[in-house]
Amino acid sequence: KLFAKALSRVPRDALILREAGIFEYEKGDMKKARRCLEQALDIAPRDYYGRFFYARLLDDAGDSAGAQKAYREVLRHVPDDSEVHTYYGRSLGSSRNLCEGYVHLAYASLYAGSPKKAAVWLDRAKKEAKTEAEKAAIKAFEEKAKERAKIMKNAQ
């Protein structure tokens, strides 16, 4: 009721629309959530938090290709967000893109401060890697993990 009241006063406020969309998403009303999030993103296309929830909504609706495109867009702007990597990795895994999914779950663990868990996901990715692109993604992760370990060691 409060979101409806706020939107009746300022119907094109991207922040209120986004928060209403997230609220409806978490409540389970995907139709209202989609409408609010789409309106919010029309107004503020650089709202990557809103785009993240829109990606989740697309995934839940069975549009994994659309969801994965949205996750990639979010990660271009917030590449160290463990939660985005988690949902993207799960989405990729559900689409049977196991190697890339495991790599993103490894990133999620790395950015969440769990390098041991990241290593487990990376081992799974290595077992699934078949193409040169997949092997390059694993190598890129390993470089990022080394860089991050060095930074953490220097910070102590």
Side-chain angles (χ1 to χ4, degrees):
K1 289 181 183 182
L2 293 175
F3 280 121
K5 186 176 182 179
L7 287 169
S8 73
R9 293 183 180 173
V10 280
R12 297 216 17 101
D13 185 291
L15 179 60
I16 295 171
L17 283 163
R18 179 191 76 195
E19 292 302 314
I22 292 169
F23 175 78
E24 295 298 343
Y25 173 83
E26 291 178 346
K27 198 173 85 175
D29 190 336
M30 297 306 163
K31 187 175 181 180
K32 280 185 185 177
R34 185 179 199 128
R35 186 175 61 244
C36 289
L37 288 169
E38 285 176 346
Q39 288 175 5
L41 292 170
D42 281 344
I43 298 164
R46 291 185 181 181
D47 179 351
Y48 300 110
Y49 190 61
R51 190 161 306 283
F52 168 61
F53 272 91
Y54 187 66
R56 289 178 59 187
L57 184 143
L58 292 175
D59 238 349
D60 291 347
D63 181 3
S64 59
Q68 291 166 17
K69 180 180 177 185
Y71 288 129
R72 284 190 301 275
E73 177 65 16
V74 173
L75 286 171
R76 280 182 353 105
H77 299 280
V78 286
D80 296 356
D81 190 297
S82 64
E83 190 174 18
V84 179
H85 280 285
T86 297
Y87 281 93
Y88 184 38
R90 289 177 184 170
S91 179
L92 290 164
S94 294
S95 298
R96 308 304 303 159
N97 188 343
L98 298 179
C99 180
E100 191 178 355
Y102 289 144
V103 169
H104 282 280
L105 292 172
Y107 276 113
S109 297
L110 181 69
Y111 295 141
S114 185
K116 288 181 182 178
K117 195 172 184 182
V120 170
W121 289 119
L122 187 64
D123 285 342
R124 290 185 183 182
K126 287 178 179 178
K127 290 175 184 170
E128 295 293 333
K130 292 170 183 63
T131 68
E132 289 305 314
E134 290 171 335
K135 292 172 186 173
I138 289 167
K139 185 172 175 63
F141 174 84
E142 290 172 331
E143 292 299 318
K144 181 61 79 173
K146 284 180 192 174
E147 176 186 312
R148 197 158 177 96
K150 185 177 178 181
I151 291 168
M152 297 305 283
K153 185 176 181 179
N154 290 337
Q156 293 176 353

